[in-house]
Amino acid sequence: MAQNSIPFREAARYWLKLGFISFGGPTGQIAIMHKDLVEKKKWIAEDHFLQALNFCMLLPGPEAQQLATYIGWLLNGRWGGIVAGGLFVLPSIFILWLLAWMYASLGTVPAMAALFYGLKPAVVAIVFEAVLRIGKKSLKTPFLYLLAAAAFTGIYFLNVPFPVIVLSAGAMGYFAGTLVPGLFTVAVKNAPPAQATIASEKAAENHGLGWPRFVKVLCIFLLLWALPIVAIGLVRGWDDTFIDIGVLFSKAAVVTFGGAYAVLGYISQQAVGYYHWIMPEQMMDGLGLAETTPGPLIMVNQFVGYLAGYYHAQGVSPALGGAIGGLLTTWVTFIPSFMMIFLLAPYIETLRKNKRLGTALSAITAAVVGVVLNLAVLFTRHTLFPDAGGFDWYALTAAIIAFVGMQRFKWGMVQVIIGSAAAGYIWTT
């Protein structure tokens, strides 16, 4: 098909709608896009969608937002990718901004404290449910189970950095897929046959692969990425909380794989343990808020950046400090995601049939299961053994009820969050 065969305005309307209805975390968001774009609108083929998703999962950052950017680029070129990725997160930016302000301003009010107390068991249940969900889909062979166990052991007991775990798993999967293909016999399957629509098949032919384009795109995004950090440094000095915020979340954007659940472990190490911006319980509250809003779960980064600016920025009001910290965090979190898609998408299109990369993805996904399990254990420990001391039997009971409800009765994530918050309010007031 010719370029722009899907009208830009029609595509933009869809991406705006998606920004307001994309609840349920990356799994729910990807399911919505698959149903709409593959089954209903037939804008992209089944195999092309799945292959694009696999490659987005190989990248650090939010895979659902990157997938939206990728498909937008396929359908309408660079502006299609910018609009798709931007509208995917725009509603959640303003919603979470408001919720973070309410949390920082009113969190000590008994009613708000009771609601957030109720969120903690729900987050524990959601993360454990994510471990099972990801594990069922990705751990198809004993070798992949072994990789997941090694990843959990490395991060929980040995404090091995995330990049080392993920890159090691990817390298093992890449070479093992060639040397011992039987290790991935079940996990790696041939893509289903393509459907007959398909506007997106034009991408590889219509976008160049030359070095001039690569360098141009790289320079533009590096400039956009660094601009707010440099501006703040020139105005406020380089030893400033906002500089620390910009640098931390810039690093998180390029070294954390596995989506929001995996990035939380790295951010917890830094924001809680190193910078002492927030408490572990506040990280969980942020995840609970992000779960209740549309958009990527990685928007929890904005919550952390908001609290860091609200509580620790000097020379500005708390609300202004929080706004700057939150928006700066969001900027440096998502600019790298756009950059990686626009840099790599043309090359990805030429490598869609590469089986070695498929085995690397399988290994990385298995390692992410261990990373998420680590997160579940950390959250559970802080929830059941609060800083006040003792064991919280209510939290254990509420987490079990939420987990069983999602597993057995298919309760929706938003309903679990709202119901848990209401139950916590009733229990403590």
Side-chain angles (χ1 to χ4, degrees):
M1 284 191 175
Q3 189 167 357
N4 295 326
S5 57
I6 302 300
F8 182 85
R9 184 173 298 180
E10 181 181 352
R13 283 198 300 266
Y14 172 75
W15 298 120
L16 179 61
K17 172 188 173 183
L18 181 65
F20 282 99
I21 66 172
S22 56
F23 291 92
T27 302
Q29 293 154 2
I30 291 167
I32 291 172
M33 283 190 279
H34 181 271
K35 184 175 182 179
D36 289 343
L37 299 177
V38 176
E39 297 178 3
K40 291 184 177 180
K41 297 180 180 294
K42 301 186 183 300
W43 285 355
I44 184 170
E46 172 83 18
D47 64 332
H48 205 165
F49 181 93
L50 295 176
Q51 290 158 354
L53 172 61
N54 285 345
F55 281 109
C56 289
M57 291 180 66
L58 278 172
L59 301 174
E63 64 267 26
Q65 188 267 347
Q66 290 169 329
L67 180 61
T69 305
Y70 194 140
I71 296 176
W73 171 80
L74 287 174
L75 298 178
N76 299 103
R78 61 179 180 272
W79 284 110
I82 292 171
V83 168
L87 292 180
F88 188 84
V89 302
L90 191 63
S92 62
I93 290 175
F94 293 101
I95 294 172
L96 202 60
W97 186 353
L98 174 62
L99 292 176
W101 172 80
M102 292 176 62
Y103 179 91
S105 303
L106 307 175
T108 56
V109 175
M112 291 296 294
L115 288 173
F116 287 114
Y117 170 75
L119 285 176
K120 292 179 175 63
V123 173
V124 169
I126 288 169
V127 177
F128 268 107
E129 196 271 341
V131 172
L132 291 181
R133 185 179 65 244
I134 299 172
K136 288 178 180 178
K137 292 182 178 180
S138 58
L139 304 182
K140 300 295 187 180
T141 68
F143 177 71
L144 295 177
Y145 273 100
L146 182 62
L147 281 179
F152 174 78
T153 301
I155 194 170
Y156 187 80
F157 293 104
L158 305 177
N159 202 31
V160 178
F162 287 97
V164 173
I165 291 175
V166 172
L167 294 178
S168 298
M172 291 178 64
Y174 183 85
F175 291 107
T178 300
L179 300 176
V180 194
L183 296 176
F184 297 90
T185 300
V186 180
V188 179
K189 300 178 180 179
N190 293 327
Q195 296 182 11
T197 30
I198 293 297
S200 56
E201 293 294 344
K202 68 183 176 59
E205 299 102 24
N206 288 334
H207 297 281
L209 298 174
W211 279 106
R213 175 198 171 275
F214 186 93
V215 173
K216 178 182 177 181
V217 172
L218 180 63
C219 290
I220 290 174
F221 278 101
L222 288 178
L223 178 63
L224 291 173
W225 191 354
L227 189 60
I229 301 176
V230 173
I232 290 172
L234 294 174
V235 173
R236 293 175 57 88
W238 299 99
D239 186 19
D240 187 78
T241 299
F242 293 131
I243 297 296
D244 292 335
I245 291 172
V247 171
L248 170 62
F249 288 100
S250 292
K251 290 191 295 184
V254 297
V255 304
T256 49
F257 295 77
Y261 290 118
V263 77
L264 280 177
Y266 177 75
I267 295 302
S268 294
Q269 288 178 341
Q270 299 296 310
V272 177
Y274 182 77
Y275 291 105
H276 305 291
W277 287 334
I278 61 173
M279 302 295 290
E281 294 79 6
Q282 291 176 313
M283 177 69 75
M284 297 177 63
D285 292 339
L287 180 59
L289 289 177
E291 293 277 11
T292 64
T293 60
L297 291 183
I298 206 170
M299 290 303 296
V300 68
N301 284 6
Q302 178 180 316
F303 177 83
V304 176
Y306 185 97
L307 293 189
Y310 187 96
Y311 292 130
H312 300 281
Q314 303 295 320
V316 295
S317 68
L320 179 58
I324 296 173
L327 294 178
L328 175 63
T329 298
T330 302
W331 181 263
V332 300
T333 294
F334 286 102
I335 286 296
S337 292
F338 283 101
M339 180 180 71
M340 286 182 283
I341 293 299
F342 286 121
L343 278 178
L344 301 177
Y347 301 93
I348 289 171
E349 284 298 302
T350 67
L351 297 172
R352 290 198 295 124
K353 306 298 183 181
N354 192 308
K355 294 183 179 180
R356 288 188 180 183
L357 292 182
T359 59
L361 172 61
S362 296
I364 288 175
T365 306
V368 167
V369 175
V371 171
V372 177
L373 178 59
N374 163 74
L375 185 64
V377 173
L378 291 177
F379 278 1
T380 301
R381 187 179 68 195
H382 285 296
T383 299
L384 302 185
F385 298 92
D387 291 340
F391 184 86
D392 193 334
W393 289 101
Y394 169 81
L396 176 62
T397 304
I400 292 174
I401 292 174
F403 179 81
V404 172
M406 287 188 293
Q407 284 288 299
R408 184 175 179 83
F409 303 106
K410 308 302 179 184
W411 291 352
M413 197 173 296
V414 175
Q415 293 92 324
V416 168
I417 290 289
I418 295 175
S420 296
Y425 176 83
I426 295 171
W427 178 261
T428 56
T429 56

